[in-house]
Amino acid sequence: SVSLVLCGEDLPMSEQGDGVFAVEAPAPAGTPYRFRIDGQTQVPDPASRWQPHGVEGASAVLPEDNHDWRTDDWRGRPWNELVIYEVHVGCSGGFDGLRAQLPALAEMGITALELMPVAQFPGRRNWGYDGVFPYAPAEAYGRPEALKALVDDAHAHGMAVLLDVVYNHFGPLGNLLAQYAAAFFDANRSTPWGAAIDFTQPVVRRFFIDNALMWLQEYRFDGLRLDAVHAIDSDAFLQQLSDEVHASMAEGRHVHLVLENERNQATWLKGAYQAQWNDDFHNALHVLLTGEHEGYYADYAGPGLAASLLARCLAEGFAWQGQRTPRGVARGEPSKDLAPARFVAFAQNHDQVGNRAYGERLSTLVSPARARLATALTLLVPMVPLLFMGEPWQARTPFLFFTDFPPPLDEAVREGRRREFAAFPAFGDAAARASIPDPNDPQTFAASAVNLPSDTDADARATLAWFRGLLALRRHYLVADLEAVQPLGTRVLADHAVQAGWRLPSGEWWLGFNAGDTPVAHALPAGDCVLAEGHSDARQLGTDSLRVHWVVR
């Protein structure tokens, strides 16, 4: 039996079949409520739209019309126009704090925000991937109407807004579904983050698809980035979600569905989904820039391997297309028939920075020239670029892993994280591991905050002017015809250098890239040199250089 606990009364709910119970009762906005299961346990609403007192508190009634939208004529931005800025809302001052940054971000040339997950999580600090109420914006960031105001203001500044959503697991604290709805989970399968969700159940698929539709329709997000779909393991769910999202959108509205998928399944990028985060691009580039070869970078290390894999990314999308990696794992599907625009390119993101022991950004790992080289390459390849918060001005603030769990989970997370690094030589002894910041320490979160650079920061101003210049090149030569780009081939010039070319309707776009310590000869076709980052000339690419030619055919 189930009853609705509302205003001190238990209202019996009628059984509808298949484990569903329902009742209708009047309740003003803000009214707290819970459900009582079998006359005993009281639980919040698993589809709560508002948890004003966190994961342990009661759910609250949220009206759907609690924001007066100023941008009713907004239809989104087409995919080819996006320059995505990935941001953690908590590290930006919450919904209102990020909203205050919008004019500056728009002036930089950012055309899309991508918010890390905002679903209600335990405590006041979290990356967002421990969410337990997928429908409720995290109260630590602000009220639900503040999120709507953020999206509305972003649209007014010409920016699309994407949201990172987590449909592959629930967080470790605050989710009570397993206690009263065990069939929601697949007892025969698990994920690295907890119990696997059973997507063979139609009502389970409905729960998450309705969530996607809520973010797109009620909060007016312009797209979703689906986290770690390789842990969902349900093609039926992924297809149904795509079908229903696209069928529900008004004609002419631009809505983008993007995947994170370690399996490199090119199949999903042929109509159902707009694009995929291209980890291969990042990993090969990172090895070229830093020489790091531990952990997952081992698949991209070895003499000349990173350069050849980066070249393959530039020509064909994925580096791994079904071959076995050096660690013996077959990964990926052929992707050379996909347009480059089906891939999101990045030199940094929350994972690649935050999963380091000390959360170092690329700007602190390599020279300023080399860090700028990575950003320039990301912006000038004909994929859709993603910048991590602070990257346009080469911020040096770390982005650390942070949580806010009570005992004993706090200690388990701290020690578990330190054990993750035990296999790395730099953390082989206990003293070294003890230096890894405690995720639960409030200072770990505070150290990760990213503020806009001050007007008196001359270096940041110069870097932003350079950044805007790169975006001007992208807009002038690539954006309008991005979907029509066709690869013309790549060449490995040296262990740290590659060149690549693409055909567009109005000409050819060629670039040569050298992240090595010695000059290398290039074979770029003669044409207009539209960029010479670092020292290069008509025959050679100098150390840490990027040269771009536009050839009219």
Side-chain angles (χ1 to χ4, degrees), residues 244-493:
E244 294 203 28
V245 164
H246 289 115
S248 70
M249 294 301 116
E251 185 176 356
R253 183 180 172 193
H254 297 285
V255 170
H256 311 296
L257 297 179
V258 182
L259 299 176
E260 181 195 27
N261 187 0
E262 285 187 359
R263 294 176 179 172
N264 281 5
Q265 292 171 293
T267 305
W268 288 118
L269 309 181
K270 296 179 180 180
Y273 288 85
Q274 184 76 66
Q276 177 177 317
W277 276 28
N278 195 345
D279 283 332
D280 286 345
F281 175 91
H282 168 275
N283 294 350
L285 176 60
H286 188 89
V287 172
L288 279 180
L289 295 170
T290 67
E292 293 182 353
H293 58 274
E294 297 175 315
Y296 49 75
Y297 293 131
D299 284 343
Y300 302 81
L305 182 58
S308 66
L309 292 176
L310 179 61
R312 193 175 199 195
C313 286
L314 297 178
E316 302 180 6
F318 293 133
W320 300 106
Q321 302 180 28
Q323 305 86 354
R324 290 193 177 276
T325 68
R327 290 183 292 179
V329 178
R331 177 169 171 246
E333 297 175 355
S335 59
K336 65 181 180 180
D337 59 333
L338 294 173
R342 300 285 74 78
F343 301 91
V344 177
F346 45 87
Q348 301 180 78
N349 66 31
H350 75 274
D351 267 332
Q352 312 297 356
V353 176
N355 283 331
R356 302 179 66 85
Y358 300 118
E360 307 102 320
R361 293 171 179 267
L362 197 57
S363 56
T364 67
L365 297 174
V366 300
S367 68
R370 196 160 286 186
R372 284 163 60 110
L373 190 67
T375 301
L377 183 69
T378 301
L379 293 177
L380 295 179
V381 297
M383 301 177 186
V384 169
L386 178 142
L387 294 308
F388 187 50
M389 58 180 183
E391 188 177 354
W393 60 95
Q394 300 296 310
R396 299 176 65 84
T397 309
F399 182 68
L400 297 159
F401 178 68
F402 46 80
T403 56
D404 183 18
F405 291 136
L409 187 56
D410 58 344
E411 182 178 358
V413 169
R414 179 179 62 248
E415 297 310 314
R417 179 161 175 82
R418 291 173 176 173
R419 281 195 302 273
E420 288 178 10
F421 291 95
F424 293 77
F427 299 99
D429 63 82
R433 293 194 293 277
S435 71
I436 297 173
D438 179 358
N440 230 53
D441 185 341
Q443 289 304 311
T444 302
F445 169 70
S448 302
V450 176
N451 299 312
L452 294 173
S454 71
D455 292 338
T456 60
D457 188 336
D459 287 342
R461 287 205 316 272
T463 301
L464 284 173
W466 164 83
F467 178 81
R468 288 191 291 269
L470 295 176
L471 289 183
L473 288 176
R474 181 178 179 87
R475 286 192 301 271
H476 183 76
Y477 290 100
L478 295 178
V479 168
D481 295 317
L482 192 67
E483 296 285 359
V485 168
Q486 295 180 336
L488 289 171
T490 58
R491 180 184 298 184
V492 175
L493 304 174

Side-chain angles (χ1 to χ4, degrees), residues 204-223:
V204 173
R205 295 199 299 273
R206 184 81 267 141
F207 179 86
F208 290 105
I209 290 170
D210 283 349
N211 179 259
L213 294 174
M214 180 200 74
W215 293 123
L216 297 170
Q217 294 173 346
E218 296 177 26
Y219 285 84
R220 304 195 184 184
F221 279 94
D222 300 282

Side-chain angles (χ1 to χ4, degrees), residues 12-82:
M13 302 176 71
S14 60
E15 187 172 1
Q16 308 289 300
D18 199 26
V20 176
F21 295 77
V23 69
E24 185 172 329
T31 303
Y33 70 97
R34 297 178 189 260
F35 297 112
R36 191 185 302 278
I37 310 296
D38 292 336
Q40 299 178 6
T41 305
Q42 287 194 45
V43 299
D45 184 349
S48 168
R49 303 295 184 93
W50 187 16
Q51 288 294 122
H53 302 293
V55 299
E56 304 296 337
S59 303
V61 175
L62 178 70
E64 293 184 3
D65 57 352
N66 63 334
H67 179 75
D68 183 15
W69 291 89
R70 299 183 298 113
T71 54
D72 271 333
D73 58 346
W74 176 261
R75 293 295 179 267
R77 294 195 72 143
W79 180 247
N80 59 297
E81 295 181 359
L82 299 196

